[in-house]
């Protein structure tokens, strides 16, 4: 039956393909007494072998799509599967208790998990506990005859349907096959949406209950530009979606002609167009889309893609690769911003009621717990600085004191390296993100001490409106064009300029086609966005006259009381929009 639903348009693109349901199956079972324990042992052997075969295939596919390092976790799982001690204990339990294989498996693996998890000062053993949990789940699924979803094994054109996708789930999607994803929850600025844009995978989020409406293998049509999703579309609907896809591809081809063009407005003013990245691999997309800089390198992905804290050398290599890949163009590296929706499995942070308002980002870095980690990152950055034009910025700054503490670590580590005879660039700019309203209000004071601002509107809007950026129920409050947000942004830009500093923006608003005219009008210096938005923004800028946009922005700031009024006013200044 055909069903239509609407969600939040989170990443452009149109796709029609089969649904791949990424939901965890029911693995519950009953404990029963059995006569024939040999038969249960045999069932266990079959499930173990099937798990092993399956894992070998997953591993191979993961190497192909994600590289050898990302696949190493499966080696650990394969090792658990062939551990004779554990297998013997499971079989002994089956025999001694005359019970089914499911119960034997669960009892023994639970026991190992409890022991290993209890070794709190031994992270290696704690990781083994996580491996055993994963393996036990796989073997149990085979015993119960249910299928565990695994996005790394997708090998035909698919649309992934999930309740939610974490950034690490998203990183595992192979864009050769995954044409789109649709989730129940999430919003335009959740990190899975941001990654979808980087990977150029269409995405519609926040549909509420798509996982309940779709069956694995159903045909699904997704329009990430409008937020429309159709389950089991008719022939005509498929044709319409394919036409929309072709029109989008044609438009992209036109934008592509601007790859090497300068970013100038109709009256010849230059604005810097930069791109946001999550890993060194993304630099290719930055250059392919003709961005003039990296305006935000989210280094936490380096931590999230790793099994343990990345070492100084590992980080150095990553930063060096990005700086070299950008060939002397500026690279703004943000120090790690863990917390919120970005978790680290090996970093045991306390569970909090409100993680977005909690112990996260710079708050960790300048605390005692995070000090060593922060200094390691700083050293790696400073060492890499000689390979290009490095700029460092701190996330989630609320107080000047926090900036000063972080800057002191920069100064101390720089002095130490120099004393060790290690070369460090002497022109590294150090700035902050403005994503907390307190810092936006006090920008005039911050501007005296920092080298630059980069406005993180993804968080600035959520904190100003007190509306979780991940929560589709309150997405109506997520209003980039609300005059309250525009006034904060204007205050930041003016304050920077008064001290001769520059102000950029690296939140998603920087690439929002309705926001760009206002930001040009307010005099924002640098616009950093998903690489895939750069060319369309360059194309838009060519049509804008800065004097007119200044007038538009001024009136929006002083005369408008709602976001709707701001957009209505746009019609006076941008008649063709
Ligand atoms: C922001 O908050 O606008 C930002 C760019 O940082 P992130 O999206 O990583 O929180
Ligand atoms: Mg942020």
């Amino acid at each position: 039956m055909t069903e239509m639903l609407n969600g939040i348009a989170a990443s452009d693109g149109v796709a029609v393909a089969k649904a791949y349901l990424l939901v965890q199956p029911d693995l519950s079972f009953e404990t029963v007494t059995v006569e024939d324990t040999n038969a249960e042992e045999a069932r266990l052997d079959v499930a173990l072998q099937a798990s092993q075969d399956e894992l070998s295939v997953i591993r191979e596919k993961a190497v192909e799509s994600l590289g050898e390092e990302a696949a190493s976790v499966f080696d650990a799982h394969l090792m658990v599967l062939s551990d004779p001690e554990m297998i013997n204990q499971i079989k002994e339990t089956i025999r001694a208790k005359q019970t089914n294989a499911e119960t034997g498996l669960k009892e023994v693996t639970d026991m190992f998990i409890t022991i290993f998890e209890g070794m709190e000062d031994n992270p290696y053993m704690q990781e083994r506990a996580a491996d055993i949990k994963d393996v036990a789940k796989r073997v149990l699924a085979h015993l119960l005859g249910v299928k565990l979803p695994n996005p790394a094994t997708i090998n035909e054109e698919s649309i992934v349907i999930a309740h939610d996708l974490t950034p690490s789930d998203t990183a595992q999607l192979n864009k050769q096959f995954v044409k789109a994803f649709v989730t129940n929850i999430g919003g335009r600025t959740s990190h899975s949406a941001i990654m979808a844009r980087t990977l150029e995978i269409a995405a519609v989020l926040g549909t509420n209950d798509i996982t309940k409406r779709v069956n694995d293998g159903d045909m699904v049509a997704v329009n990430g530009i409008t937020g429309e999703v159709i389950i089991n579309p008719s022939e005509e609907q498929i044709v319409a979606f394919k036409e929309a896809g072709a029109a989008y591809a044609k438009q992209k081809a036109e934008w592509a002609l601007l790859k090497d063009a300068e970013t100038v407005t109709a009256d010849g003013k230059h604005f810097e167009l930069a791109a946001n990245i999550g890993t060194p691999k993304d630099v290719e997309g930055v250059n392919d889309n003709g961005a003039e800089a990296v305006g935000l390198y989210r280094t936490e992905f380096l931590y999230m893609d790793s099994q343990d804290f990345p070492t100084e050398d590992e980080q150095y290599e990553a930063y060096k690769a990005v700086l070299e890949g950008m060939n002397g163009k500026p690279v703004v590296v943000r120090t790690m911003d863990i917390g919120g929706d970005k978790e680290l499995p090996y970093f045991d942070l306390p569970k909090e009621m409100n993680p977005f308002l909690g112990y996260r980002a710079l708050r960790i870095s300048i605390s005692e717990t995070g000090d060593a980690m922060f200094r390691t990152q700083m050293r790696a950055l400073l060492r890499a600085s000689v390979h290009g034009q490095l700029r460092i910025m701190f996330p989630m700054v609320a107080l000047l004191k926090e900036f000063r503490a972080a800057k002191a670590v920069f100064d101390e580590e720089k002095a130490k390296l120099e004393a060790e005879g290690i070369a460090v660039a002497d022109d590294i700019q150090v700035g902050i993100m403005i994503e907390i309203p307190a810092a936006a209000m006090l920008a005039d004071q911050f501007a005296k001490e920092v080298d630059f601002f980069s406005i993180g509107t993804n968080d600035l809007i959520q904190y100003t409106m007190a509306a979780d950026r991940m929560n589709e129920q309150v997405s109506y409050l997520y209003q980039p064009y609300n005059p309250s947000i525009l006034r904060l942004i204007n205050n930041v830009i003016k304050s920077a300029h008064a001290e001769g500093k520059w102000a950029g923006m690296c939140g998603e608003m920087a690439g929002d086609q309705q926001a760009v005219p206002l930001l040009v009008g307010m005099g924002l210096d640098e616009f950093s966005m998903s690489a895939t938005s750069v060319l369309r923004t360059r194309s838009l800028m060519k049509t804008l006259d800065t004097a007119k946009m200044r007038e538009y922005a001024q009136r929006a700031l002083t005369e408008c009381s709602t976001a709707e009024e701001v957009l209505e006013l746009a019609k006076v200044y941008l008649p063709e929009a």
Side-chain angles (χ1 to χ4, degrees):
M1 198 186 66
T2 300
E3 254 193 280
M4 286 161 83
L5 47 150
N6 268 296
I8 295 167
S11 176
D12 287 353
V14 181
V16 181
K18 276 194 199 158
Y20 182 92
L21 212 50
L22 189 59
V23 288
Q24 292 308 321
D26 178 11
L27 292 178
S28 56
F29 63 89
E30 302 222 335
T31 294
V32 288
T33 309
V34 295
E35 297 273 307
D36 186 359
T37 52
N38 284 342
E40 289 304 305
E41 285 182 46
R43 278 183 68 225
L44 178 74
D45 283 333
V46 171
L48 288 169
Q49 187 57 50
S51 303
Q52 202 150 18
D53 295 347
E54 187 177 57
L55 269 175
S56 306
V57 174
I58 293 174
R59 189 192 181 287
E60 237 169 75
K61 293 206 168 132
V63 171
E64 274 167 35
S65 57
L66 308 163
E68 188 68 48
E69 208 182 307
S72 64
V73 59
F74 300 115
D75 290 331
H77 291 189
L78 282 162
M79 254 164 69
V80 173
L81 264 176
S82 53
D83 176 357
E85 194 188 337
M86 178 141 46
I87 295 169
N88 283 338
Q89 282 206 37
I90 299 172
K91 290 186 173 172
E92 266 169 38
T93 307
I94 295 174
R95 281 195 298 271
K97 298 200 167 169
Q98 292 217 303
T99 192
N100 50 345
E102 288 85 344
T103 307
L105 172 77
K106 178 138 180 38
E107 282 196 8
V108 174
T109 50
D110 276 358
M111 179 191 72
F112 276 102
I113 291 164
T114 312
I115 296 173
F116 292 168
E117 276 184 345
M119 302 181 179
E120 272 175 14
D121 40 8
N122 189 335
Y124 176 81
M125 295 315 280
Q126 293 205 322
E127 266 175 43
R128 297 292 76 75
D131 293 336
I132 296 172
K133 255 189 219 167
D134 264 29
V135 168
K137 202 160 91 181
R138 187 170 302 286
V139 179
L140 189 57
H142 278 289
L143 282 170
L144 297 169
V146 296
K147 209 174 118 205
L148 282 185
N150 194 317
T153 61
I154 295 175
N155 58 4
E156 59 174 339
E157 287 205 355
S158 307
I159 290 173
V160 168
I161 310 286
H163 176 67
D164 183 22
L165 279 176
T166 62
S168 58
D169 289 331
T170 313
Q172 284 194 42
L173 303 179
N174 181 341
K175 74 175 212 185
Q176 191 191 341
F177 300 119
V178 177
K179 295 297 163 195
F181 65 80
V182 185
T183 61
N184 292 346
I185 67 165
R188 226 190 118 68
T189 61
S190 48
H191 285 94
S192 51
I194 292 168
M195 287 175 75
R197 291 198 279 282
T198 304
L199 294 166
E200 289 194 71
I201 297 178
V204 174
L205 310 190
T207 60
N208 277 323
D209 58 355
I210 181 120
T211 49
K212 291 211 187 102
R213 301 189 190 206
V214 168
N215 296 313
D216 209 47
D218 278 351
M219 240 6 210
V220 180
V222 179
N223 187 334
I225 304 163
T226 60
E228 286 167 290
V229 180
I230 306 181
I231 303 165
N232 296 317
S234 66
E235 275 310 313
E236 295 89 80
Q237 285 168 326
I238 293 181
V239 170
F241 269 65
K242 290 202 167 153
E243 277 171 9
Y248 177 62
K250 187 163 162 257
Q251 199 166 41
K252 266 176 59 177
E254 277 166 25
W255 292 330
L257 300 174
L258 295 174
K259 183 178 161 238
D260 300 314
E262 244 204 292
T263 310
V264 281
T265 55
D267 55 323
K269 298 265 174 2
H270 173 256
F271 287 86
E272 186 168 278
L273 276 194
N276 299 344
I277 62 170
T279 76
K281 273 192 288 188
D282 299 338
V283 171
E284 201 185 322
V286 175
N287 290 321
D288 287 350
N289 284 288
E292 296 154 58
V294 167
L296 167 64
Y297 174 9
R298 291 182 163 95
T299 57
E300 54 277 7
F301 288 104
L302 198 64
Y303 294 69
M304 287 156 66
D305 289 346
S306 173
Q307 306 298 314
D308 203 346
F309 292 107
T311 63
E312 184 181 313
D313 281 345
E314 281 163 0
Q315 294 193 51
Y316 165 78
E317 290 301 332
Y319 306 147
K320 175 173 167 228
V322 172
L323 286 160
E324 286 185 345
M326 287 307 292
N327 246 322
K329 292 181 192 149
V331 174
V332 181
V333 181
R334 173 175 77 184
T335 60
M336 74 92 191
D337 184 15
I338 292 300
D341 62 338
K342 292 174 287 198
E343 290 177 3
L344 276 192
Y346 51 85
F347 188 30
D348 203 11
L349 285 170
K351 278 266 164 277
E352 297 179 323
M353 294 276 283
N354 294 300
F356 272 101
L357 300 180
Y359 180 56
R360 58 172 292 202
L362 194 69
R363 298 166 184 190
I364 299 176
S365 300
I366 56 173
S367 72
E368 221 177 290
T369 315
D371 184 65
M373 179 165 71
F374 189 46
R375 285 180 191 272
T376 302
Q377 176 165 42
M378 200 54 84
R379 285 176 68 89
L381 280 167
L382 290 163
R383 279 173 53 203
S385 65
V386 293
H387 299 290
Q389 199 184 143
L390 175 68
R391 295 169 178 177
I392 297 177
M393 75 176 166
F394 306 124
M396 295 291 298
V397 177
L399 306 175
L400 253 170
K401 193 169 124 184
E402 292 171 318
F403 168 70
R404 288 179 187 147
K407 178 72 186 334
V409 171
F410 168 89
D411 290 334
E412 283 159 25
E413 293 307 321
K414 186 163 181 269
K416 275 192 225 161
L417 283 169
E418 282 163 353
E420 289 165 34
I422 295 169
V424 176
D426 57 11
D427 57 354
I428 306 170
Q429 294 187 6
V430 182
I432 59 168
M433 290 193 70
I434 298 278
E435 44 190 348
I436 297 180
M441 290 302 299
L442 209 59
D444 56 331
Q445 299 302 320
F446 278 99
K448 296 185 177 125
E449 301 191 30
V450 306
D451 293 325
F452 65 90
F453 292 137
S454 184
I455 308 172
T457 48
N458 304 341
D459 280 318
L460 184 64
I461 298 171
Q462 86 163 341
Y463 295 134
T464 306
M465 295 291 178
D468 185 343
R469 66 196 256 194
M470 312 274 292
N471 184 343
E472 69 288 352
Q473 307 270 27
V474 291
S475 62
Y476 74 97
L477 284 163
Y478 207 86
Q479 298 189 351
Y481 330 111
N482 188 293
S484 60
I485 302 292
L486 299 180
R487 287 184 191 189
L488 284 176
I489 292 171
N490 192 50
N491 188 49
V492 175
I493 300 171
K494 261 191 359 213
S495 303
H497 292 173
E499 294 293 335
K501 311 288 168 68
W502 62 270
M505 179 180 287
C506 59
E508 291 301 303
M509 187 174 171
D512 177 332
Q513 304 298 288
Q514 287 177 292
V516 168
L518 289 160
L519 299 171
V520 164
M522 289 189 256
L524 186 76
D525 302 291
E526 176 238 32
F527 294 64
S528 194
M529 58 198 73
S530 303
T532 47
S533 299
V534 167
L535 291 170
R536 83 168 56 167
T537 307
R538 183 167 291 154
S539 163
L540 170 66
M541 286 220 181
K542 270 175 44 166
T543 67
L544 304 178
D545 176 82
T546 47
K548 250 171 134 184
M549 293 311 112
R550 243 193 322 272
E551 196 180 307
Y552 169 33
Q554 272 318 306
R555 289 190 57 194
L557 287 162
T558 52
E559 294 172 21
C560 293
S561 49
T562 66
E564 290 76 20
E565 282 173 27
V566 172
L567 294 182
E568 193 56 37
L569 189 60
K571 293 184 186 149
V572 177
Y573 294 92
L574 304 154
E576 63 289 359

